[in-house]
Amino acid sequence: MARNPDGSYSTEHCAPILTVERLRKRFGALEALAGVDLTILQGEVVVVIGPSGSGKSTLLRCMNLLEVPDEGSLAIGGEVIWKRAAGAAAVRLKDVDRAALRARRRTAMVFQRFNLFPHLTALRNVMIGPIKVKGEKPAEAERKARALLEQVGLADKAAAYPIELSGGQQQRVAIARALALKPEIMLFDEPTSALDPELVGEVLRVMKQLARDGMTKVVVTHEMGFAREVGDRIIMMDEGRIVEMGTPDQIFTNPKHDRTKAFLRRLLEGNAPPPVPAISPTNASVLNGAV
């Protein structure tokens, strides 16, 4: 998907790859998703923003049926993966398992907390999915896994175990592991939120490189610089609903919805440098080295 000079993106020749309709999800009394409708195009990078508890991660997890929606439908590449009408009978577990398997063969998720197998090396963590899910031969899986580790800058860490890696390195292994499944859609659930600030940049650099490869991606993040630079479309969520969507320029330069304005203003205030104290006589003495 190509950006136009005005900041918009071209949808010509781009077919829908993921469609959610009237998606609802409750956790007890909490309505996490309140009837979400969304269509994502082939090759699009969609970034989902919003306050904590707005439904961002729940939406992402429903896209590959890690969470089973209470109502609505999910289609990937035109194939309906999940559909449940309001008030429908309880879903049978085998039907959920079957639908989830179909969804996860076409998507891959990168989580906040890495979720690497601690008893496997970085190389084996990347290899295991293709072997177990796709039936690849170990030699072929290893060849591809080494190439992916090189792609994320970790070729020299193939023999390292997760405990021997930094958080940023573990997350890059997790990205390579997801890529190894050759998904049609990559889902990123706040992939930098568990990292120390100095490690965030190395993961974002890898994600920026991936954004250019044409694979469809949906990213939940609080990294607004990344969202503005990489996203083709920004979606703002609040209270389980999409309240606004548009190009990065539209959302960050001229948001329309009051909730979006308030959210972005609060983020900007939170990232502002501390105020410089007024130069009182006492402060002046300190600055001049007199105290």
Side-chain angles (χ1 to χ4, degrees), residues 196-216:
D196 293 333
E198 63 268 25
L199 301 178
V200 169
E202 65 187 65
V203 174
L204 291 181
R205 279 193 295 274
V206 169
M207 292 178 65
K208 288 175 184 178
Q209 294 168 0
L210 295 177
R212 306 184 188 103
D213 69 4
M215 184 187 294
T216 308

Side-chain angles (χ1 to χ4, degrees), residues 219-271:
V219 184
V220 171
T221 186
H222 288 293
E223 300 289 341
M224 296 300 106
F226 171 85
R228 186 163 194 166
E229 179 180 349
V230 173
D232 294 308
R233 186 161 41 134
I234 309 297
I235 291 173
M236 169 70 188
M237 291 192 68
D238 188 45
E239 297 184 344
R241 295 176 172 84
I242 295 175
V243 298
E244 186 169 1
M245 69 173 72
T247 66
D249 283 348
Q250 290 167 344
I251 296 298
F252 290 108
T253 303
N254 189 29
K256 304 298 183 185
H257 198 282
D258 288 343
R259 190 66 187 90
T260 310
K261 295 175 184 177
F263 173 73
L264 293 175
R265 182 167 57 248
R266 187 163 60 250
L267 282 182
L268 290 174
E269 290 171 353
N271 291 328

